[in-house]
Amino acid sequence: MSIKSFAAQLFAKHIHKKTQAWANNPVETQRKVFQELIHQAKDTVFGKDHHFSEIKNFEDFAKQVPIRDYEELRPYVDRMVKGEENILWKGKPIYFAKTSGTTSGAKYIPLTKESMPFHIQAARNAILSYIHETGKADFVDGKMIFLQGSPILEDKNGIKLGRLSGIVAHFVPKYLQKNRMPSWETNCIEDWETKVDAIVEETFNEDMSVISGIPSWVQMYFEKLEQKGGKPVGEIFKNFNLFIYGGVNYEPYRAKFEKLIGRKVDSIELFPASEGFFAYQDSQKEKGMLLLLNSGIFYEFVKSEEFFTENPKRYTIGEVELGVNYVLLLSTNAGLWAYNIGDTIQFTSLKPYRVIVSGRIKHYISAFGEHVIGKEVETALKEAMENTTISVNEFTVAPQIAPNSGLPYHEWFIEFENTPENMDEFALKIDNAMRKQNVYYDDLIVGKVLRTLVITKVQKNGFQEYMKSIGKLGGQNKLPRLSNDRKIADFFTN
């Protein structure tokens, strides 16, 4: 064992103890975070507008601060972008993370000197948690790659602006600098396909031990490695044994990854966003990711089925239940308040609080009242592929409300790696798995409102072409699993 790996194990033990301290006292931990946030922001424009000085408890906060999404918070953000101080949080942000907006162009998510360290610590602690549980630390001596956006930053009225993954690249600890790949020059390449080609050339002969990124884009990297080397990734990188990912569910990709790698490797799931780093997988044995309750974020939860009602009940950490689909709300030390990030989560454990990402509140299908969410389609596909040789590269689902003949249906657009011998039989398997999970969908099938789902095959790299066509190829961009319209479907059917 090297000095570096031995030191990593000691540090992992220390961080584990600190984590257990707040994880075992969740309600009090969140109460302290809440009080500190209100205290720090009471003299800001937002704090004065919402009478923070009068807020004594969560009930007061819920009455005075409505749920908002980015567009509703935008008047405050726009003032910050113009350079004004003390708007949502004290002083000025140190960065804006630029993300794609859905209604009115780019979104500028503030990052403050208080919030930024938690993004870095959470990613570090996820790895240390893995080391503590498994005892494996040798990988710290190998090379590590993080597929991410360009670290080149713009200037916006004295505040640095860029993609979150590019901003984070400026905070890589010194002890990882020698191990980290790709090079700064390669990381700065904007065009994703060019960048991946350069990363393949740069890493091919290196001792890669950790690879990290969104699965769909890491898959592209792995395929190019396999093409260049003529053998599985696991033979090219003999010491590659840890895959770190976030952004999307890994399960639909797992079979394809194991084939590309040629063996199984351990994985760590992360739940990061520009708005905060919310959770990471703290156990290889338990389902879900540890919700980070001591990271400058106060969480609220609204049941998805109630979210669009006039005055939905807002729950705090001590009130949540297992298996319920909640919309995640945030109040943060970057100045977001009762903020709807758009993600839905479910709790898999209450001691400690662990979550899975179940989908997006805007990414669902309910064209007929079925309320289908991302977790359900991913689970159904996984069940249908079990004990078969079928593998899938990517997929999305949309409603077909007005078919040329017959009843309406859900149309599944699937890019197969290994295609089913009997497509109708495979579609029926998925359909039955969907009916088992979603009573509304089952009722619509039984009541002959819908017919069994229909699979439309997408040609190789078809989804990459779609993402390229909308300017979202690579980086942190993700294909929606579900749409309640046919905007994506039309790309493949017109």
Side-chain angles (χ1 to χ4, degrees):
M1 179 182 291
S2 69
I3 293 174
K4 196 172 185 178
S5 59
F6 179 68
Q9 288 188 335
L10 289 178
F11 193 33
K13 186 176 182 180
H14 169 69
I15 293 299
H16 176 73
K17 284 182 180 177
K18 291 182 71 172
T19 302
Q20 291 299 105
W22 61 255
N24 290 333
N25 200 9
V27 174
E28 178 62 15
T29 296
Q30 277 284 275
R31 186 189 67 80
K32 286 180 178 176
V33 169
F34 173 76
Q35 289 182 332
E36 181 65 13
L37 291 174
I38 297 300
H39 173 72
Q40 292 290 341
K42 69 180 188 302
D43 295 323
T44 63
V45 171
F46 189 92
K48 290 174 181 176
D49 286 350
H50 296 82
H51 310 290
F52 274 23
S53 61
E54 299 170 17
I55 292 175
K56 306 299 181 193
N57 51 42
F58 170 67
E59 288 71 24
D60 293 342
F61 178 79
K63 286 176 188 172
Q64 292 173 205
V65 182
I67 298 168
R68 287 180 170 93
D69 61 16
Y70 182 82
E71 295 306 321
E72 291 164 317
L73 199 66
R74 187 168 190 144
Y76 292 98
V77 177
D78 285 347
R79 292 178 64 177
M80 297 165 71
V81 172
K82 289 176 183 175
E84 291 189 49
E85 296 186 14
N86 302 314
I87 303 299
L88 287 169
W89 190 254
K90 57 188 182 180
K92 285 185 179 183
I94 54 173
Y95 297 100
F96 285 116
K98 186 178 180 181
T99 68
S100 301
T102 53
T103 54
S104 53
K107 291 162 45 175
Y108 298 93
I109 306 299
L111 296 164
T112 64
K113 71 179 191 300
E114 290 83 8
S115 72
M116 195 65 220
F118 287 112
H119 285 270
I120 311 307
Q121 287 174 23
R124 178 202 71 188
N125 291 353
I127 296 173
L128 292 172
S129 180
Y130 170 82
I131 291 172
H132 181 266
E133 183 189 37
T134 65
K136 299 174 183 176
D138 289 347
F139 64 85
V140 301
D141 297 312
K143 297 284 188 179
M144 305 179 187
I145 189 168
F146 301 89
L147 293 179
Q148 56 192 188
S150 170
I152 297 174
L153 304 179
E154 304 171 41
D155 189 273
K156 195 84 172 174
N157 295 318
I159 299 170
K160 296 295 184 183
L161 166 71
R163 301 287 179 184
L164 175 66
S165 61
I167 293 169
V168 169
H170 292 261
F171 289 84
V172 176
K174 284 184 179 178
Y175 59 83
L176 286 182
Q177 291 285 7
K178 288 183 180 178
N179 300 63
R180 185 177 180 277
M181 299 194 79
S183 66
W184 186 267
E185 293 73 23
T186 296
N187 222 8
C188 289
I189 297 171
E190 290 287 350
D191 180 74
W192 187 252
E193 290 171 295
T194 305
K195 183 173 188 168
V196 174
D197 286 339
I199 291 172
V200 168
E201 292 303 318
E202 201 169 275
T203 59
F204 188 78
N205 292 313
E206 297 289 346
D207 179 22
M208 304 303 301
S209 60
V210 178
I211 295 172
S212 175
I214 291 176
S216 50
W217 307 125
V218 175
Q219 180 176 311
M220 182 193 290
Y221 169 56
F222 283 175
E223 287 171 342
K224 288 177 179 288
L225 280 168
E226 188 181 51
Q227 288 167 12
K228 179 176 174 63
K231 54 187 176 182
V233 173
E235 290 185 31
I236 297 170
F237 303 141
K238 296 191 185 315
N239 292 315
F240 167 46
N241 284 301
L242 183 59
F243 173 50
I244 303 173
Y245 67 94
V248 298
N249 185 1
Y250 182 41
E251 289 308 316
Y253 301 93
R254 189 178 292 277
K256 178 66 188 294
F257 267 59
E258 288 177 1
K259 183 181 176 186
L260 283 167
I261 297 166
R263 53 184 163 81
K264 291 185 178 183
V265 298
D266 287 348
S267 61
I268 303 173
E269 183 175 9
L270 311 178
F271 185 11
S274 299
E275 294 84 352
F277 202 125
F278 313 126
Y280 60 72
Q281 183 181 345
D282 68 318
S283 174
Q284 295 291 303
K285 301 167 189 171
E286 304 295 332
K287 184 180 181 183
M289 295 173 282
L290 183 70
L291 188 64
L292 303 181
L293 304 174
N294 194 35
S295 295
I297 301 171
F298 177 73
Y299 299 97
E300 299 175 61
F301 312 91
V302 175
K303 292 180 180 178
S304 296
E305 62 202 38
E306 299 173 1
F307 186 73
F308 293 107
T309 60
E310 191 170 337
N311 191 27
K313 179 170 172 54
R314 292 154 67 172
Y315 298 88
T316 56
I317 195 66
E319 302 171 296
V320 296
E321 304 169 62
L322 292 173
V324 175
N325 210 44
Y326 292 104
V327 178
L328 184 64
L329 307 180
L330 316 167
S331 295
T332 78
N333 55 7
L336 303 177
W337 301 102
Y339 184 86
N340 169 24
I341 189 177
D343 286 318
T344 59
I345 56 102
Q346 291 180 8
F347 285 89
T348 59
S349 165
L350 303 182
K351 287 186 178 181
Y353 285 92
R354 292 195 182 99
V355 299
I356 57 169
V357 180
S358 54
R360 298 277 293 168
I361 193 64
K362 291 182 179 178
H363 292 170
Y364 61 90
I365 298 179
S366 201
F368 310 91
E370 59 272 48
H371 309 295
V372 169
I373 62 173
K375 175 179 175 289
E376 291 169 347
V377 296
E378 288 176 335
T379 299
L381 183 63
K382 181 187 174 188
E383 285 186 17
M385 291 194 299
E386 279 175 1
N387 302 316
T388 74
T389 58
I390 301 165
S391 64
V392 167
N393 288 337
E394 191 61 275
F395 77 100
T396 193
V397 188
Q400 176 50 275
I401 298 170
N404 292 330
S405 62
L407 293 172
Y409 53 87
H410 284 186
E411 188 168 9
W412 287 56
F413 294 84
I414 303 179
E415 182 185 319
F416 289 98
E417 177 68 18
N418 289 338
T419 307
E421 290 181 14
N422 187 323
M423 194 68 77
D424 291 338
E425 185 181 290
F426 185 59
L428 187 59
K429 275 187 179 181
I430 300 174
D431 208 68
N432 287 336
M434 282 297 306
R435 292 173 65 179
K436 209 166 54 175
Q437 293 182 90
N438 187 310
V439 66
Y440 304 110
Y441 183 74
D442 184 56
D443 286 345
L444 291 166
I445 297 289
V446 171
K448 296 193 174 355
V449 176
L450 293 178
R451 64 181 167 110
T452 300
L453 65 87
V454 172
I455 294 174
T456 297
K457 284 176 63 177
V458 173
Q459 66 182 18
K460 177 77 171 170
N461 298 324
F463 285 108
Q464 288 181 20
E465 291 302 316
Y466 167 72
M467 295 297 278
K468 193 173 182 179
S469 76
I470 60 170
K472 291 188 176 183
L473 182 67
Q476 306 305 299
N477 298 306
K478 296 159 281 191
L479 176 77
R481 284 282 175 252
L482 295 162
S483 307
N484 207 37
D485 55 43
R486 291 188 62 81
K487 287 178 184 174
I488 299 175
D490 288 344
F491 179 84
F492 298 108
T493 55
N494 288 344

